[in-house]
Amino acid sequence: RSEFGGPAFEPHITVVGAISLAPEDALAPYPARVTAAARGTFFYQCVFFLIDPIPEVMEASARACNHFGFQSSTPYMPHLSLLYADISDEDKERARQ
């Protein structure tokens, strides 16, 4: 972030989008493994680690979506965001590397 800009944020793996959680709503720990570093096309998915979609990871998202009544128009893509920014594709690739 110091090289490419963008806001500071707590590292996290999103399990359900666009809601606020209270501490008592937290999920139990589950295993997660990084499969690759990737770059995206959205500010909030500028550069991120892809997370292996093992059953435990996918079930955590499904449970959270069901609990909060969240319906997404796109399939769940488990990832851990590293950089939020609007930067060029060349800079995204440098950051990904």
Side-chain angles (χ1 to χ4, degrees):
R1 183 177 77 79
S2 63
E3 183 177 348
F4 299 99
F9 60 92
E10 292 291 323
H12 63 279
I13 297 173
T14 302
V15 293
V16 62
I19 63 167
S20 295
L21 298 176
E24 62 271 13
D25 296 322
L27 295 170
Y30 57 90
R33 181 178 58 219
V34 172
T35 60
R39 58 191 177 113
T41 58
F42 303 107
F43 178 85
Y44 293 109
Q45 290 180 359
C46 182
V47 179
F48 53 90
F49 285 143
L50 286 170
I51 303 299
D52 190 4
I54 61 173
E56 294 91 341
V57 170
M58 301 307 285
E59 288 167 9
S61 177
R63 280 194 310 272
C65 288
N66 185 51
H67 178 78
F68 294 104
F70 182 80
Q71 295 182 341
S72 177
S73 59
T74 59
Y76 177 54
M77 178 189 69
H79 66 283
L80 189 149
S81 294
L82 300 172
L83 176 64
Y84 293 167
D86 284 321
I87 56 176
S88 69
D89 287 343
E90 293 80 16
D91 283 344
K92 286 180 190 178
E93 184 56 24
R94 281 192 16 233
R96 185 197 67 80
Q97 290 176 3

